[in-house]
Amino acid sequence: MTIYTAANIRETFLEQCHTRQGMELNLEYVTEMDITGVQLLLAFRIHLDSTASGLQLKNSSEAVQEALKLTHLTETFETDVGVVVV
Amino acid sequence: MSTPEDTFREEASELLAVLESSLLELEDQPDDAESVDQAFRAMHTIKGSGAMFGFDKLSAFTHHLENAFDLVRSGDLDVTKDLINIALGSGDHIRNLLNDMDPSPGVEAEGNALLEQLSSLLPGNTEESTADNSVQPKQKVKSGTELDATWRIRITPAVDTLVNGMDPLPVLRELVALGPCHVTTMDTELPPLSKLDPESCYLIWDLILTRISHQ
């Protein structure tokens, strides 16, 4: 998830934006992540939160973990959103 | 396009101007503590940021000058005409090192000559021999005269930063490695996904960094 793939990833995220269900994102195969990747994850999360469906990251690769740790966003993405207790 | 090195060069040039004007001030008023402090702070910042951006020779050289002005601050060294002249010459030398990270033997010899002159002014038993111009171990170069220093750093990259090939993540990585550091990522400027240009940088960072120097 770098500047070279950012435009494509944004398109993919946008296609999924209409979903009303919670989204799980498997990041197992992300070998590289720069700030464009972090920004897209944040923007995607904010969008899904606003539709009350939420985003969960799964199997974050080392690159993802490091990028989120450096930006101190690990906990932001761990927080469970969209879980409604009836 | 501006690289981190260019940014440092720009900042260091401004600091050198501050240094020079405080030295000229001292020429008229050798006892002016405020000018001494101002000169010292400029040297301290040039040294510290220089080490951070890989200007090791510049940083090592400035370290000696900073030491001398620390002695002035503590009252162990007087501001004399000689000291001011050497410091002004050192400012020119730092400017040379700023333009060329790998100076020619001639420039390097100039630096050594300045350090020798500086050393001759210092009282005995200074922290280390000032004639030794070898590059100090990084830790040493980076350590300030203060024991601990806490910095608040705001990083607001230009929107086209990423397009210009500069990624803030490695900068964060470097800073976090310097000491206990608390990073806050602010997404207040981040547009909604539908309006976001994926190659622009919208994030802003606030860092609280504590440097613990190793004596």
Short mmCIF file of all heavy atoms in Angstrom, two decimals, chain A residues 3-4 6-8 10 13-14 17 33-36 38-40 42-44 46-47 66-73, chain B residues 162-163 167-170 172-173 176 182-185 187 190-203 205:
data_model
loop_
_atom_site.label_atom_id
_atom_site.label_comp_id
_atom_site.label_asym_id
_atom_site.label_seq_id
_atom_site.Cartn_x
_atom_site.Cartn_y
_atom_site.Cartn_z
N ILE A 3 2.27 4.82 -2.57
CA ILE A 3 1.76 5.85 -3.48
C ILE A 3 1.53 5.27 -4.89
O ILE A 3 0.67 5.76 -5.62
CB ILE A 3 2.74 7.06 -3.51
CG1 ILE A 3 2.11 8.25 -4.22
CG2 ILE A 3 4.09 6.69 -4.12
CD1 ILE A 3 2.77 9.57 -3.93
N TYR A 4 2.27 4.21 -5.23
CA TYR A 4 2.12 3.63 -6.58
C TYR A 4 0.81 2.87 -6.74
O TYR A 4 0.32 2.68 -7.85
CB TYR A 4 3.30 2.70 -6.88
CG TYR A 4 4.61 3.44 -6.78
CD1 TYR A 4 5.49 3.20 -5.72
CD2 TYR A 4 4.96 4.41 -7.72
CE1 TYR A 4 6.68 3.90 -5.61
CE2 TYR A 4 6.13 5.12 -7.62
CZ TYR A 4 6.99 4.86 -6.56
OH TYR A 4 8.16 5.56 -6.44
N ALA A 6 -1.89 3.56 -4.57
CA ALA A 6 -2.90 4.27 -3.78
C ALA A 6 -4.19 4.51 -4.57
O ALA A 6 -5.29 4.33 -4.05
CB ALA A 6 -2.33 5.58 -3.26
N ALA A 7 -4.04 4.93 -5.83
CA ALA A 7 -5.23 5.26 -6.62
C ALA A 7 -6.12 4.03 -6.79
O ALA A 7 -7.35 4.10 -6.63
CB ALA A 7 -4.82 5.83 -7.97
N ASN A 8 -5.50 2.89 -7.09
CA ASN A 8 -6.28 1.65 -7.27
C ASN A 8 -6.96 1.21 -5.98
O ASN A 8 -8.10 0.77 -5.99
CB ASN A 8 -5.36 0.51 -7.75
CG ASN A 8 -5.00 0.67 -9.21
OD1 ASN A 8 -5.75 1.31 -9.96
ND2 ASN A 8 -3.87 0.11 -9.62
N ARG A 10 -7.82 3.07 -3.51
CA ARG A 10 -8.94 3.97 -3.21
C ARG A 10 -10.18 3.54 -4.00
O ARG A 10 -11.28 3.51 -3.47
CB ARG A 10 -8.55 5.40 -3.57
CG ARG A 10 -9.69 6.38 -3.42
CD ARG A 10 -9.23 7.81 -3.61
NE ARG A 10 -10.36 8.72 -3.75
CZ ARG A 10 -10.94 9.00 -4.89
NH1 ARG A 10 -10.53 8.43 -6.02
NH2 ARG A 10 -11.96 9.84 -4.93
N PHE A 13 -11.69 0.54 -2.40
CA PHE A 13 -12.39 0.91 -1.16
C PHE A 13 -13.73 1.57 -1.49
O PHE A 13 -14.75 1.28 -0.88
CB PHE A 13 -11.53 1.88 -0.33
CG PHE A 13 -10.40 1.21 0.44
CD1 PHE A 13 -9.54 1.97 1.21
CD2 PHE A 13 -10.24 -0.17 0.40
CE1 PHE A 13 -8.50 1.36 1.93
CE2 PHE A 13 -9.20 -0.79 1.11
CZ PHE A 13 -8.34 -0.01 1.87
N LEU A 14 -13.70 2.46 -2.47
CA LEU A 14 -14.93 3.19 -2.83
C LEU A 14 -16.02 2.22 -3.29
O LEU A 14 -17.20 2.41 -2.98
CB LEU A 14 -14.63 4.22 -3.92
CG LEU A 14 -14.07 5.56 -3.45
CD1 LEU A 14 -13.69 6.43 -4.65
CD2 LEU A 14 -15.08 6.30 -2.57
N CYS A 17 -17.88 0.86 -0.48
CA CYS A 17 -18.38 1.84 0.47
C CYS A 17 -19.87 1.77 0.73
O CYS A 17 -20.36 2.24 1.74
CB CYS A 17 -18.03 3.25 0.00
SG CYS A 17 -16.52 3.83 0.76
N MET A 33 4.14 -0.33 3.20
CA MET A 33 3.10 0.66 3.47
C MET A 33 3.73 2.01 3.72
O MET A 33 4.64 2.14 4.53
CB MET A 33 2.28 0.24 4.67
CG MET A 33 1.13 1.18 4.95
SD MET A 33 0.08 0.61 6.28
CE MET A 33 -1.43 0.30 5.43
N ASP A 34 3.26 3.02 2.98
CA ASP A 34 3.72 4.38 3.28
C ASP A 34 2.52 5.18 3.79
O ASP A 34 1.46 4.63 4.07
CB ASP A 34 4.40 5.02 2.07
CG ASP A 34 3.46 5.23 0.90
OD1 ASP A 34 2.23 5.11 1.10
OD2 ASP A 34 3.94 5.52 -0.21
N ILE A 35 2.69 6.49 3.87
CA ILE A 35 1.62 7.30 4.46
C ILE A 35 0.35 7.28 3.61
O ILE A 35 -0.75 7.39 4.15
CB ILE A 35 2.14 8.75 4.69
CG1 ILE A 35 3.02 8.75 5.96
CG2 ILE A 35 1.02 9.74 4.82
CD1 ILE A 35 2.26 8.34 7.23
N THR A 36 0.48 7.09 2.30
CA THR A 36 -0.74 7.03 1.49
C THR A 36 -1.61 5.86 1.95
O THR A 36 -2.83 5.97 2.00
CB THR A 36 -0.43 6.86 -0.02
OG1 THR A 36 0.26 5.62 -0.21
CG2 THR A 36 0.44 7.98 -0.54
N VAL A 38 -1.66 4.51 5.00
CA VAL A 38 -2.23 4.85 6.31
C VAL A 38 -3.44 5.77 6.13
O VAL A 38 -4.50 5.57 6.74
CB VAL A 38 -1.16 5.54 7.19
CG1 VAL A 38 -1.77 6.01 8.51
CG2 VAL A 38 0.01 4.60 7.46
N GLN A 39 -3.29 6.77 5.25
CA GLN A 39 -4.38 7.72 5.00
C GLN A 39 -5.61 7.03 4.45
O GLN A 39 -6.73 7.32 4.85
CB GLN A 39 -3.93 8.75 3.95
CG GLN A 39 -3.14 9.88 4.52
CD GLN A 39 -2.90 11.00 3.52
OE1 GLN A 39 -2.57 12.07 3.93
NE2 GLN A 39 -3.05 10.76 2.22
N LEU A 40 -5.39 6.09 3.51
CA LEU A 40 -6.53 5.40 2.91
C LEU A 40 -7.26 4.56 3.94
O LEU A 40 -8.49 4.55 3.99
CB LEU A 40 -6.06 4.53 1.73
CG LEU A 40 -5.74 5.29 0.45
CD1 LEU A 40 -5.10 4.37 -0.57
CD2 LEU A 40 -7.02 5.92 -0.12
N LEU A 42 -7.39 5.13 7.12
CA LEU A 42 -8.11 6.06 8.01
C LEU A 42 -9.40 6.56 7.35
O LEU A 42 -10.46 6.55 7.97
CB LEU A 42 -7.22 7.26 8.34
CG LEU A 42 -6.34 7.18 9.59
CD1 LEU A 42 -5.50 8.45 9.69
CD2 LEU A 42 -7.17 7.00 10.85
N ALA A 43 -9.26 6.97 6.10
CA ALA A 43 -10.42 7.53 5.40
C ALA A 43 -11.50 6.46 5.21
O ALA A 43 -12.70 6.72 5.36
CB ALA A 43 -10.00 8.10 4.05
N PHE A 44 -11.08 5.24 4.91
CA PHE A 44 -12.01 4.13 4.72
C PHE A 44 -12.73 3.84 6.04
O PHE A 44 -13.94 3.65 6.09
CB PHE A 44 -11.24 2.90 4.25
CG PHE A 44 -12.10 1.78 3.71
CD1 PHE A 44 -13.28 2.06 3.03
CD2 PHE A 44 -11.71 0.46 3.86
CE1 PHE A 44 -14.07 1.03 2.51
CE2 PHE A 44 -12.49 -0.57 3.36
CZ PHE A 44 -13.67 -0.29 2.68
N ILE A 46 -13.16 5.91 8.56
CA ILE A 46 -14.07 7.01 8.91
C ILE A 46 -15.37 6.88 8.12
O ILE A 46 -16.46 7.03 8.65
CB ILE A 46 -13.39 8.37 8.64
CG1 ILE A 46 -12.25 8.59 9.64
CG2 ILE A 46 -14.40 9.51 8.72
CD1 ILE A 46 -11.32 9.74 9.29
N HIS A 47 -15.24 6.53 6.84
CA HIS A 47 -16.43 6.39 6.02
C HIS A 47 -17.33 5.26 6.54
O HIS A 47 -18.53 5.43 6.70
CB HIS A 47 -16.06 6.10 4.57
CG HIS A 47 -17.27 5.92 3.70
ND1 HIS A 47 -17.92 6.97 3.11
CD2 HIS A 47 -18.00 4.80 3.40
CE1 HIS A 47 -18.98 6.51 2.46
NE2 HIS A 47 -19.04 5.20 2.62
N GLU A 66 3.98 -1.95 11.55
CA GLU A 66 4.98 -0.92 11.84
C GLU A 66 4.44 0.48 11.53
O GLU A 66 4.60 1.41 12.31
CB GLU A 66 6.27 -1.17 11.04
CG GLU A 66 7.47 -0.47 11.68
CD GLU A 66 8.36 0.26 10.69
OE1 GLU A 66 8.12 0.18 9.48
OE2 GLU A 66 9.30 0.94 11.15
N ALA A 67 3.79 0.60 10.37
CA ALA A 67 3.26 1.92 9.97
C ALA A 67 2.24 2.41 10.99
O ALA A 67 2.24 3.60 11.36
CB ALA A 67 2.63 1.83 8.58
N LEU A 68 1.38 1.52 11.46
CA LEU A 68 0.35 1.94 12.43
C LEU A 68 0.97 2.25 13.78
O LEU A 68 0.52 3.13 14.51
CB LEU A 68 -0.74 0.87 12.56
CG LEU A 68 -1.58 0.64 11.30
CD1 LEU A 68 -2.69 -0.37 11.57
CD2 LEU A 68 -2.18 1.95 10.80
N LYS A 69 2.03 1.50 14.10
CA LYS A 69 2.68 1.75 15.38
C LYS A 69 3.38 3.13 15.36
O LYS A 69 3.26 3.90 16.30
CB LYS A 69 3.72 0.64 15.63
CG LYS A 69 4.18 0.60 17.08
CD LYS A 69 5.09 -0.59 17.34
CE LYS A 69 5.85 -0.33 18.64
NZ LYS A 69 7.16 -0.92 18.64
N LEU A 70 4.08 3.42 14.27
CA LEU A 70 4.79 4.70 14.16
C LEU A 70 3.84 5.89 14.23
O LEU A 70 4.18 6.94 14.75
CB LEU A 70 5.59 4.76 12.86
CG LEU A 70 6.89 3.97 12.81
CD1 LEU A 70 7.49 4.04 11.42
CD2 LEU A 70 7.89 4.50 13.84
N THR A 71 2.66 5.71 13.67
CA THR A 71 1.70 6.83 13.65
C THR A 71 0.78 6.76 14.87
O THR A 71 -0.14 7.57 15.00
CB THR A 71 0.84 6.78 12.37
OG1 THR A 71 0.36 5.44 12.20
CG2 THR A 71 1.66 7.15 11.16
N HIS A 72 1.04 5.80 15.74
CA HIS A 72 0.26 5.63 16.97
C HIS A 72 -1.22 5.43 16.66
O HIS A 72 -2.11 6.02 17.30
CB HIS A 72 0.46 6.83 17.90
CG HIS A 72 0.22 6.50 19.34
ND1 HIS A 72 -0.90 6.89 20.01
CD2 HIS A 72 0.93 5.77 20.22
CE1 HIS A 72 -0.88 6.43 21.25
NE2 HIS A 72 0.24 5.74 21.40
N LEU A 73 -1.48 4.62 15.64
CA LEU A 73 -2.87 4.40 15.24
C LEU A 73 -3.32 2.96 15.49
O LEU A 73 -4.44 2.59 15.18
CB LEU A 73 -3.05 4.74 13.75
CG LEU A 73 -2.97 6.22 13.39
CD1 LEU A 73 -2.95 6.41 11.87
CD2 LEU A 73 -4.13 6.99 14.01
N LEU B 162 4.16 13.81 -0.81
CA LEU B 162 4.29 12.41 -1.24
C LEU B 162 4.62 12.32 -2.72
O LEU B 162 5.43 11.51 -3.14
CB LEU B 162 2.99 11.66 -0.94
CG LEU B 162 2.55 11.72 0.53
CD1 LEU B 162 1.12 11.23 0.68
CD2 LEU B 162 3.48 10.89 1.38
N VAL B 163 3.97 13.20 -3.50
CA VAL B 163 4.23 13.22 -4.95
C VAL B 163 5.70 13.56 -5.20
O VAL B 163 6.32 13.08 -6.15
CB VAL B 163 3.31 14.25 -5.64
CG1 VAL B 163 3.59 14.30 -7.12
CG2 VAL B 163 1.86 13.90 -5.38
N ASP B 167 8.33 10.57 2.01
CA ASP B 167 7.32 9.91 2.84
C ASP B 167 7.59 10.26 4.31
O ASP B 167 8.70 10.09 4.78
CB ASP B 167 7.42 8.39 2.61
CG ASP B 167 6.40 7.63 3.42
OD1 ASP B 167 5.42 8.24 3.89
OD2 ASP B 167 6.58 6.41 3.59
N PRO B 168 6.60 10.79 5.00
CA PRO B 168 6.84 11.15 6.41
C PRO B 168 7.14 9.95 7.32
O PRO B 168 7.71 10.13 8.38
CB PRO B 168 5.51 11.80 6.85
CG PRO B 168 4.84 12.19 5.59
CD PRO B 168 5.27 11.21 4.56
N LEU B 169 6.77 8.73 6.90
CA LEU B 169 6.98 7.58 7.80
C LEU B 169 8.44 7.40 8.22
O LEU B 169 8.71 7.21 9.41
CB LEU B 169 6.47 6.29 7.14
CG LEU B 169 5.07 5.80 7.50
CD1 LEU B 169 4.88 4.39 6.96
CD2 LEU B 169 4.79 5.81 8.99
N PRO B 170 9.39 7.43 7.28
CA PRO B 170 10.81 7.29 7.71
C PRO B 170 11.24 8.41 8.66
O PRO B 170 12.08 8.17 9.53
CB PRO B 170 11.59 7.37 6.39
CG PRO B 170 10.62 6.97 5.34
CD PRO B 170 9.28 7.46 5.82
N LEU B 172 9.28 9.84 10.88
CA LEU B 172 8.74 9.41 12.18
C LEU B 172 9.62 8.32 12.77
O LEU B 172 9.92 8.31 13.96
CB LEU B 172 7.31 8.89 12.04
CG LEU B 172 6.24 9.93 11.71
CD1 LEU B 172 4.89 9.26 11.51
CD2 LEU B 172 6.14 10.96 12.82
N ARG B 173 10.05 7.39 11.91
CA ARG B 173 10.88 6.27 12.38
C ARG B 173 12.16 6.79 13.02
O ARG B 173 12.56 6.34 14.09
CB ARG B 173 11.19 5.34 11.20
CG ARG B 173 11.75 3.99 11.62
CD ARG B 173 12.00 3.11 10.42
NE ARG B 173 10.78 2.69 9.76
CZ ARG B 173 10.51 2.86 8.47
NH1 ARG B 173 11.39 3.47 7.68
NH2 ARG B 173 9.38 2.46 7.95
N VAL B 176 11.31 8.64 16.39
CA VAL B 176 10.90 7.71 17.44
C VAL B 176 12.12 6.97 18.00
O VAL B 176 12.17 6.63 19.19
CB VAL B 176 9.84 6.73 16.88
CG1 VAL B 176 9.65 5.54 17.78
CG2 VAL B 176 8.52 7.45 16.68
N HIS B 182 5.99 10.32 22.09
CA HIS B 182 4.56 10.10 21.93
C HIS B 182 4.09 10.77 20.65
O HIS B 182 4.26 11.97 20.45
CB HIS B 182 3.78 10.64 23.14
CG HIS B 182 2.32 10.33 23.03
ND1 HIS B 182 1.80 9.10 23.36
CD2 HIS B 182 1.30 11.07 22.57
CE1 HIS B 182 0.50 9.11 23.12
NE2 HIS B 182 0.17 10.28 22.64
N VAL B 183 3.51 9.96 19.77
CA VAL B 183 3.09 10.47 18.46
C VAL B 183 1.56 10.59 18.42
O VAL B 183 0.86 9.67 18.85
CB VAL B 183 3.53 9.50 17.34
CG1 VAL B 183 3.10 10.03 15.98
CG2 VAL B 183 5.03 9.29 17.37
N THR B 184 1.08 11.73 17.95
CA THR B 184 -0.36 11.86 17.71
C THR B 184 -0.56 12.17 16.23
O THR B 184 0.03 13.11 15.70
CB THR B 184 -0.95 13.02 18.54
OG1 THR B 184 -0.54 12.86 19.89
CG2 THR B 184 -2.47 13.01 18.49
N THR B 185 -1.35 11.33 15.56
CA THR B 185 -1.67 11.58 14.16
C THR B 185 -3.00 12.31 14.10
O THR B 185 -3.97 11.85 14.69
CB THR B 185 -1.78 10.26 13.39
OG1 THR B 185 -0.54 9.57 13.47
CG2 THR B 185 -2.10 10.49 11.92
N ASP B 187 -6.10 13.73 11.86
CA ASP B 187 -6.72 13.57 10.55
C ASP B 187 -7.77 14.63 10.29
O ASP B 187 -8.69 14.44 9.48
CB ASP B 187 -7.32 12.16 10.41
CG ASP B 187 -8.36 11.88 11.50
OD1 ASP B 187 -8.77 12.82 12.19
OD2 ASP B 187 -8.75 10.71 11.64
N LEU B 190 -8.15 15.49 6.76
CA LEU B 190 -8.36 14.36 5.83
C LEU B 190 -9.76 14.45 5.23
O LEU B 190 -10.76 14.41 5.95
CB LEU B 190 -8.20 13.05 6.60
CG LEU B 190 -8.18 11.76 5.80
CD1 LEU B 190 -6.93 11.66 4.94
CD2 LEU B 190 -8.26 10.55 6.73
N PRO B 191 -9.86 14.57 3.89
CA PRO B 191 -11.18 14.66 3.27
C PRO B 191 -11.85 13.28 3.26
O PRO B 191 -11.18 12.28 3.47
CB PRO B 191 -10.89 15.14 1.85
CG PRO B 191 -9.44 14.93 1.62
CD PRO B 191 -8.77 14.65 2.93
N PRO B 192 -13.16 13.26 3.01
CA PRO B 192 -13.81 11.95 2.88
C PRO B 192 -13.21 11.17 1.71
O PRO B 192 -12.70 11.77 0.75
CB PRO B 192 -15.28 12.29 2.61
CG PRO B 192 -15.36 13.76 2.48
CD PRO B 192 -14.07 14.38 2.87
N LEU B 193 -13.29 9.86 1.82
CA LEU B 193 -12.67 8.97 0.82
C LEU B 193 -13.04 9.37 -0.61
O LEU B 193 -12.20 9.34 -1.51
CB LEU B 193 -13.10 7.53 1.12
CG LEU B 193 -12.37 6.41 0.39
CD1 LEU B 193 -10.88 6.43 0.69
CD2 LEU B 193 -12.96 5.06 0.78
N SER B 194 -14.29 9.77 -0.80
CA SER B 194 -14.75 10.09 -2.16
C SER B 194 -14.07 11.33 -2.71
O SER B 194 -13.97 11.52 -3.92
CB SER B 194 -16.26 10.27 -2.15
OG SER B 194 -16.60 11.28 -1.22
N LYS B 195 -13.58 12.22 -1.81
CA LYS B 195 -12.97 13.46 -2.29
C LYS B 195 -11.46 13.45 -2.12
O LYS B 195 -10.77 14.42 -2.42
CB LYS B 195 -13.53 14.65 -1.49
CG LYS B 195 -15.02 14.82 -1.64
CD LYS B 195 -15.39 16.30 -1.62
CE LYS B 195 -16.85 16.53 -1.93
NZ LYS B 195 -17.70 16.44 -0.74
N LEU B 196 -10.93 12.35 -1.63
CA LEU B 196 -9.51 12.30 -1.26
C LEU B 196 -8.63 12.02 -2.48
O LEU B 196 -8.93 11.14 -3.28
CB LEU B 196 -9.35 11.20 -0.20
CG LEU B 196 -8.00 10.82 0.37
CD1 LEU B 196 -8.19 10.40 1.82
CD2 LEU B 196 -7.37 9.67 -0.39
N ASP B 197 -7.61 12.86 -2.64
CA ASP B 197 -6.60 12.56 -3.66
C ASP B 197 -5.59 11.63 -3.00
O ASP B 197 -4.88 12.04 -2.08
CB ASP B 197 -5.93 13.86 -4.11
CG ASP B 197 -4.69 13.59 -4.96
OD1 ASP B 197 -4.48 12.41 -5.34
OD2 ASP B 197 -3.92 14.53 -5.20
N PRO B 198 -5.54 10.37 -3.44
CA PRO B 198 -4.74 9.38 -2.70
C PRO B 198 -3.25 9.70 -2.67
O PRO B 198 -2.52 9.14 -1.86
CB PRO B 198 -5.01 8.06 -3.44
CG PRO B 198 -5.54 8.46 -4.77
CD PRO B 198 -6.21 9.78 -4.59
N GLU B 199 -2.80 10.61 -3.54
CA GLU B 199 -1.36 10.90 -3.57
C GLU B 199 -1.01 12.21 -2.85
O GLU B 199 0.14 12.65 -2.86
CB GLU B 199 -0.87 10.92 -5.02
CG GLU B 199 -1.03 9.54 -5.66
CD GLU B 199 -0.53 9.48 -7.10
OE1 GLU B 199 -0.06 10.51 -7.59
OE2 GLU B 199 -0.65 8.40 -7.70
N SER B 200 -2.01 12.83 -2.23
CA SER B 200 -1.73 14.04 -1.45
C SER B 200 -1.60 13.68 0.02
O SER B 200 -2.13 12.67 0.47
CB SER B 200 -2.87 15.05 -1.62
OG SER B 200 -2.85 15.57 -2.92
N CYS B 201 -0.90 14.51 0.75
CA CYS B 201 -0.70 14.25 2.17
C CYS B 201 -1.58 15.19 2.99
O CYS B 201 -1.48 16.40 2.87
CB CYS B 201 0.76 14.43 2.55
SG CYS B 201 1.11 13.88 4.21
N TYR B 202 -2.45 14.60 3.79
CA TYR B 202 -3.38 15.42 4.57
C TYR B 202 -3.11 15.32 6.07
O TYR B 202 -3.69 16.05 6.85
CB TYR B 202 -4.82 14.96 4.32
CG TYR B 202 -5.24 15.00 2.88
CD1 TYR B 202 -5.31 13.84 2.12
CD2 TYR B 202 -5.59 16.21 2.27
CE1 TYR B 202 -5.72 13.87 0.79
CE2 TYR B 202 -6.00 16.25 0.95
CZ TYR B 202 -6.05 15.07 0.21
OH TYR B 202 -6.45 15.11 -1.09
N LEU B 203 -2.31 14.36 6.47
CA LEU B 203 -2.15 14.10 7.91
C LEU B 203 -1.13 15.07 8.52
O LEU B 203 -0.23 15.56 7.85
CB LEU B 203 -1.71 12.65 8.14
CG LEU B 203 -2.68 11.59 7.64
CD1 LEU B 203 -2.14 10.19 7.90
CD2 LEU B 203 -4.04 11.76 8.30
N TRP B 205 1.23 15.66 12.24
CA TRP B 205 1.69 14.94 13.43
C TRP B 205 2.17 15.88 14.51
O TRP B 205 2.79 16.91 14.23
CB TRP B 205 2.83 13.98 13.06
CG TRP B 205 2.34 12.82 12.29
CD1 TRP B 205 1.83 11.64 12.78
CD2 TRP B 205 2.26 12.71 10.87
NE1 TRP B 205 1.44 10.83 11.76
CE2 TRP B 205 1.69 11.45 10.57
CE3 TRP B 205 2.60 13.55 9.81
CZ2 TRP B 205 1.47 11.01 9.27
CZ3 TRP B 205 2.38 13.12 8.52
CH2 TRP B 205 1.83 11.86 8.26
#
